[in-house]
Every structure is written in C-alpha cells, then in structure tokens.
Amino acid sequence: MAQFPIADPAPADGKLPEQALIGASVRTFHAYIHVPFCSVRCGYCDFNTYTSSELQGFNQTDFVQRLLQELDFSQRVLETSGLPQRALTSVFFGGGTPTQLPVSDLVRSLEALTEIFGLSSHAEITTEANPDSVDVRYLNALAAGGFNRVSFGMQSAVPSVLKTLERTHNLENVPLAVRYAKDAGLKTSVDLIYGAPGESLDDWKRSVEAAIGLETDHISAYALIVEPGTKLYRQIQSGQLEEPDEDLEADKYEFADEAFGSAGLNWYELSNFARTPSDASLHNLAYWTGQDWWGYGPGAHSHVGGVRWWNAKHPTAYAKPLLDGLSPAVGREVLDDQARLSERVMLELRLRSGLASEVLTGVTGDVDQKISSLIADGLIDGVAAIRGTISLTLRGRLLADGVVKRLLA
Ligand SMILES: C[S@@+](CC[C@H](N)C(=O)[O-])C[C@H]1O[C@@H](n2cnc3c(N)ncnc32)[C@H](O)[C@@H]1O
Ligand code: SF4
C-alpha cells in the first residue's frame, strides 16, 4: 500500500497554523469523503480500502456516525483557526466503493455537510460508483438527495482485460447504470484503464468506442499503474503477467485522445476529457489548482493553504480519536513557498489551460531558454508560450513528467 509522506505529527486539536489563512478568501472550499469499503479488492488497486474480512471488527454501519463526528470536528477547527466561512464548491464521495453504503448514509452525510458549510450555487456533488453496486432506486435516491453527478468504474469493455484486472463487475451493467443515472438527471462519467497486461491496441479501441457509445458527459482514461504490494505487481514480478509496454500505452493514449475529441469529448487534463468546459470535474480541478479541501474518512488527505494532513488509514484507528473529540489525523506537513510553487508547476502543467510562465521565474532559472528548447522539441505549444502560457502539445502530454523535470531542473 502507498506510504504516507514523512512529516510532523498532526496536533490532536487539529488547529491550523496562521499560514493556512493567507489568501483563504480567494480560494474555493471542497469536501472529499473517503468510503473505504469494497466487496473484493481488484488485483491492481492499492487504494485505502477494505473487504469485510479486513475490517478487523470495525462495523461498516458505524461509519457514517464517525464521519458526522469528523464533520463537526472540521467545523470547530476551521472556525477556531480563523478561516472564513465558505460554501462548498464541490463534494466528492470516493473510495473504495461509496455506493456500497446504503444510499441513505450518503444522503445523510451530504445533508450534514450542507447544514454546516452550505453549498455554492452550482456546487458539483459526485459519488463514485461500481456499476454493480447501484440500481434504478439507488440512483434516483441519490438525485433526490442532492447528488448531481456519478462516476462509474468501467475500466474496460473487454472481458479478458477485466479478468486480468480482476474486476468483478458485470459488463452489461455499465450501459444500464449509465442510462439509469441519466434518467435520474445525474451527470455521468466513466473511468477507463489502459495498459493492462495482455491488452492489445484493438482491445483498447473497443473499450474507447464502448465508452464513447455511452454518451457520458465526462471520461477519465488512466494508464495502469503497477503499484508495489498489489497482486498485479506480484504477478508481473513472478513473470506470470507481462509488464505494460510504454510505447503501446502511448499509442493507446493517442488513439483515445483522437477518438474522444472526434466524439466531442475534449481533454482538459492529461487523463480527463469533458463534453463542455462546464462538464470538467470541479472537484479534480480544485486539486490541480491548489484550492482548499477537507478530506473526511480513513486515510483521507486534506489541504488548506499549503498545510496538508492525512487521517489514520484503518477505519478502527480513524474512529478511535473521533470518539474522544480529537483529530483522526496522523501526520501533517506545512509546505514552504518554494515547495508550493514546484507543486503548482507539476499540477498546472497537466491542465490544457496550462501554466503561466511567470510562475516559473519564482521557481527556477533560465526560463526563456528552457521554454525555447521545449518548443523546439515539440513538447509545448509555441503560440501559447508567446502569450505567456506553457501548454503541453500531444507529444508533451505523452512525456509530461519529463517536461516537468526539465522545467524544474
Ligand atoms: C475508487 S476507484 C472508482 C470506484 C469504484 N471503486 C470502482 O472501481 O468501480 C477510482 C478509479 O481509480 C482508478 N485506479 C485505481 N487503481 C488504479 C491503478 N493502479 N492504475 C490506474 N488507475 C487506477 C480506476 O480507474 C478506478 O475507477
Ligand atoms: S478499483 Fe475500485 S472496486 Fe476495485 S479495489 Fe479499488 S476501489 Fe475497490
């Protein structure tokens, strides 16, 4: 499982340092709720999630109570730390599989968030969902309870690829779930993964075309990350499965970009495609543009003005301090200006809107020369650069990590 950064212990009362207040009134505020339950663990996934046998006595039915306690706790911390009262611009239930909870638990949590913070006028309220874990009633209840968006884990439309990924959802449930969600008035998105061992370019084309055929408002297409500690990692290490091929992954990305674009789904972030600018995920944009968010639930990460903290990972360890009115956080780091600027470069470069080149002058030297050489290599857009924005070309998107390294060198 992914390790947390090395940092200071988080204070038990959660109080935020003064730094968190600077510029708070111009940043938007968001909530992420991590629901750490799945019926089975997919072989590739190292998210902080637990099957029933891994819960070690934690009762899933108690979860929403602890969440409500963290909500109250967050209100106290933000108030006593002097943060301005801000309505939520987005709320995102992620996991794990949030839809494994009864829909009334999700709606109740959303109501509590709304009562405490309020929602901004066009707030985006999303839940992730496994296509097998929802039906018409569930989706209608989400919409009636104030949700306006659902993001389904589709991953692939090819049975053999789903098998390699150890996905257990029924392929036929994806179009049904999407249709029911649309009928309920929810915006829809699907997640795809490319690069599974054994997935051919033709397999991927089938998945892309199937996803386009669903006519969702949004698609995310992620390159498979082989995470150490996962079953997939062990299968690759032992030679049972082959390693993903980077050149083939690049071909898959190029195909998806072209096919999504022709279908009216345009990239706005390296892995994310939206039908119109207003279909871009407000929640994800908040991460990439350094806004403030409170991450509720086991293992959730929060960020307020360059102060980051993260909760205990196991539900039992998360629940314990909350029962005493204390912070469930186990670590915290306060980023200095230099670290915040470097992070800004990394995140904003992923966006189609790009990075203002003036940001770089605070981070690194030889900015003009670096920009010229990236244009010469076809990695960033020359016209945008003249206007002061660093924006990746298609080639640049394929080599984005390298571009970041060259800019920050
Ligand atoms: C929490 S899951 C989505 C909801 C639900 N648990 C599901 O899988 O249907 C979030 C997304 O992360 C992506 N993901 C998880 N592990 C990944 C990995 N190792 N590499 C690439 N994408 C991954 C998957 O596309 C998945 O849909
Ligand atoms: S990909 Fe989704 S369903 Fe699979 S283990 Fe991870 S969080 Fe659970």
Side-chain angles (χ1 to χ4, degrees):
M1 214 170 257
Q3 294 300 302
F4 284 150
I6 298 162
D8 302 331
D13 65 1
K15 190 146 191 301
L16 294 168
E18 294 264 307
Q19 177 189 322
L21 307 187
I22 303 167
S25 57
V26 294
R27 291 191 300 270
T28 49
F29 183 51
H30 306 256
Y32 171 75
I33 297 92
H34 189 75
V35 182
F37 310 120
C38 286
S39 52
V40 285
R41 180 182 286 277
C42 310
Y44 59 89
C45 181
D46 86 333
F47 282 41
N48 186 43
T49 190
Y50 304 85
T51 57
S52 52
S53 66
E54 294 165 339
L55 282 174
Q56 296 166 4
F58 182 86
N59 196 339
Q60 203 174 298
T61 53
D62 292 341
F63 180 70
V64 75
Q65 282 308 329
R66 301 293 85 76
L67 211 53
L68 297 180
Q69 280 176 311
E70 194 187 358
L71 285 176
D72 286 340
F73 176 78
S74 68
Q75 181 185 28
R76 272 201 314 278
V77 167
L78 292 170
E79 243 174 52
T80 54
S81 303
L83 266 297
Q85 170 81 34
R86 290 169 294 175
L88 289 160
T89 300
S90 72
V91 178
F92 193 101
F93 289 75
T97 307
T99 45
Q100 197 156 304
L101 291 178
V103 67
S104 54
D105 280 0
L106 298 191
V107 170
R108 194 152 153 234
S109 310
L110 176 59
E111 279 167 0
L113 278 162
T114 310
E115 247 166 59
I116 291 176
F117 298 112
L119 298 178
S120 68
S121 53
H122 295 100
E124 174 190 274
I125 317 292
T126 307
T127 183
E128 286 182 334
N130 186 310
D132 269 357
S133 64
V134 290
D135 56 16
V136 184
R137 263 193 28 218
Y138 198 104
L139 291 161
N140 283 338
L142 280 177
F147 284 76
N148 52 27
R149 189 171 180 275
V150 59
S151 170
F152 293 106
M154 171 178 176
Q155 322 308 353
S156 171
V158 178
S160 61
V161 175
L162 288 173
K163 194 157 177 251
T164 307
L165 293 172
E166 299 198 329
R167 288 292 296 191
T168 54
H169 73 255
N170 184 345
L171 203 44
E172 281 125 46
N173 280 346
V174 179
L176 282 180
V178 170
R179 198 175 77 229
Y180 297 150
K182 285 189 201 175
D183 289 348
L186 298 162
K187 279 193 174 191
T188 51
S189 178
V190 287
D191 288 346
L192 292 175
I193 289 183
Y194 59 95
E199 183 192 55
S200 67
L201 187 55
D202 278 344
D203 288 337
W204 174 241
K205 288 181 178 175
R206 260 174 76 190
S207 296
V208 167
E209 276 150 16
I212 290 172
L214 298 171
E215 298 185 346
T216 54
D217 307 290
H218 186 279
I219 297 180
S220 303
Y222 302 114
L224 177 70
I225 302 170
V226 180
E227 303 279 6
T230 58
K231 182 170 173 196
L232 178 73
Y233 181 85
R234 290 191 294 277
Q235 287 168 316
I236 290 174
Q237 291 290 303
S238 68
Q240 199 185 329
L241 290 175
E242 72 206 38
E243 224 170 304
D245 172 330
E246 278 183 22
D247 290 337
L248 184 57
E249 286 197 4
D251 291 345
K252 288 177 181 173
Y253 184 85
E254 285 191 55
F255 176 80
D257 180 64
E258 167 67 30
F260 292 152
S262 306
L265 287 146
N266 296 305
W267 82 282
Y268 66 98
E269 190 273 346
L270 291 182
S271 308
N272 287 278
F273 302 80
R275 205 159 282 288
T276 69
S278 66
D279 294 320
S281 161
L282 284 180
H283 190 73
N284 288 342
L285 282 172
Y287 291 157
W288 298 315
T289 58
Q291 308 302 322
D292 289 350
W293 66 89
W294 193 293
Y296 299 90
H301 285 227
S302 301
H303 169 263
V304 177
V307 182
R308 279 204 296 235
W309 66 96
W310 46 93
N311 288 346
K313 287 183 110 169
H314 195 279
T316 308
Y318 162 76
K320 200 164 174 285
L322 282 169
L323 290 166
D324 299 324
L326 299 175
S327 171
V330 290
R332 176 163 104 173
E333 62 180 352
V334 180
L335 300 181
D336 62 20
D337 288 349
Q338 195 64 23
R340 284 181 85 180
L341 277 173
S342 301
E343 197 168 273
R344 191 167 161 195
V345 171
M346 272 187 291
L347 294 173
E348 291 188 15
L349 247 197
R350 299 179 65 86
L351 297 171
R352 185 176 200 152
S353 53
L355 169 79
S357 39
E358 65 191 26
V359 174
L360 278 175
T361 48
V363 195
T364 180
D366 300 328
V367 174
D368 289 343
Q369 201 237 313
K370 284 176 182 165
I371 290 178
S372 303
S373 98
L374 288 168
I375 295 172
D377 291 345
L379 295 168
I380 65 170
D381 182 338
V383 178
I386 292 167
R387 299 198 185 110
T389 301
I390 303 176
S391 178
L392 296 171
T393 58
L394 176 57
R395 185 172 145 75
R397 277 188 272 156
L398 292 167
L399 300 166
D401 290 345
V403 175
V404 170
K405 267 196 202 125
R406 280 171 64 173
L407 283 174
L408 292 178

